[in-house]
Amino acid sequence: GERLFEQVFPWALEESSVGMSTRSSKPLRLFSLPPAWGLPTWHPDCLKVQAYMRLAGVRFDNDQSTSAAMASYDTPVLVSGEETVLAGSDEIITFLKDEGHDLDATLGNQDKAEVFAFCSMVEGQLLTVMHYDWWMVDDNYYEVIRPIYTAGSSFPASMLLPWSMSRRMRARLGHPSAEDGEQLYKQAATCYKALDARLGAQPFFFGDAPSSLDAIVFAHLATHLYAPMPSPARLSALVQEHPNLCAFVERINSKYMNVSLGLFSRRAPEPTPTTAEEAAKKEKEEGKKERTPKEKARRRRARDFCAAGVVLTVGFV
């Protein structure tokens, strides 16, 4: 109970020095998207708020909602008491700071400027790369992102939500080409190097106590590292080039988020097939023609177009 809390969040108890209380005067209830990939939530904004609240030692109730239920809001949503409702991660963190839960309270002006610069890089450049990786790479979208958006949703939301999200994100990105995507991955590699250099051998980016930068970097790197994208899983591979960042993600996730990942354990090893199984599989696949990526994408988009047409037709009837 209280003793464990003191051991895990020692900085949260130093109210006189950091201007933060461990108890909120009103009960806090956070609505966020559900767990996935060994993380308490798969959405970076929801993970950002959860990480901030846990690192700040804020007690709250976490309600899991489906993508369809949260579609009308900027995720996540925080309810304080019976009156205050805040939507969106930045608004929630600003509210928490105003309530005395400010992870950056002890930082000097120069450090705060650094927090702003690195957060802008993560939520600007790295977020753009993640959106490209999620929504523009067809195998990633159809095998990982689309299923997670439809999970727990019934028809027609299970068809309309991923379709509308895909259209919106592709328009936001400006429909970049594959060459543009390669440039984005290079930008991501540069960002990871900068984060690795700033973190160094410290447990947190500014020493022994966490800041808002730790919550934001964790939220993004964790989704990059553990989203089970099909090979070659570009973002995960780039993060894995920096063991220091991988250890940072694992440390925060296992100690503060109540989930232990076990580094690089997101994919279960495939069982070794027997000779008979191999022969049967080979015989089954001999008559199959392997489709090219373009053919796969064409078939998938045609299926989505037909499904959207059915939904719209049903809506008019």
Side-chain angles (χ1 to χ4, degrees), residues 116-287:
F116 177 81
F118 275 102
C119 287
S120 298
M121 180 187 74
V122 171
E123 299 195 303
Q125 290 178 294
L126 277 185
L127 183 60
T128 300
V129 182
M130 189 202 78
H131 284 160
Y132 176 87
D133 194 65
W134 282 24
W135 300 99
M136 297 301 298
V137 180
D138 282 332
D139 284 347
N140 293 349
Y141 171 70
Y142 284 101
E143 295 185 28
V144 179
I145 302 306
R146 190 179 186 281
I148 210 165
Y149 266 89
T150 60
S153 301
S154 57
F155 185 84
S158 60
M159 298 302 302
L160 282 177
L161 181 60
W163 177 71
S164 63
M165 283 293 299
S166 177
R167 282 172 55 90
R168 187 171 70 183
M169 295 309 302
R170 287 170 181 265
R172 180 183 296 180
L173 290 167
H175 302 279
S177 65
E179 290 76 15
D180 295 330
E182 288 303 314
Q183 290 301 314
L184 288 173
Y185 287 123
K186 289 179 181 178
Q187 289 180 18
T190 301
C191 293
Y192 295 142
K193 287 179 182 177
L195 290 170
D196 184 276
R198 182 62 186 85
L199 179 63
Q202 303 175 113
F204 300 105
F205 278 94
F206 291 94
D208 294 329
S211 66
S212 60
L213 179 60
D214 294 283
I216 291 169
V217 171
F218 166 77
H220 287 267
L221 293 195
T223 51
H224 298 181
L225 183 60
Y226 292 107
M229 302 302 185
S231 182
R234 299 286 296 275
L235 290 183
S236 180
L238 288 173
V239 178
Q240 289 179 37
E241 292 178 5
H242 304 279
N244 199 31
L245 294 180
C246 294
F248 168 81
V249 171
E250 169 73 2
R251 185 166 58 248
I252 290 183
N253 200 52
S254 61
K255 187 172 183 180
Y256 303 102
M257 310 303 289
N258 296 324
V259 179
S260 180
L261 290 174
L263 209 52
F264 312 137
S265 65
R266 58 193 174 89
R267 293 188 183 93
E270 295 183 1
T272 303
T274 64
T275 305
E277 289 173 336
E278 288 177 342
K281 183 177 180 181
K282 184 176 180 181
E283 183 179 352
K284 183 178 179 181
E285 291 180 349
E286 276 180 351

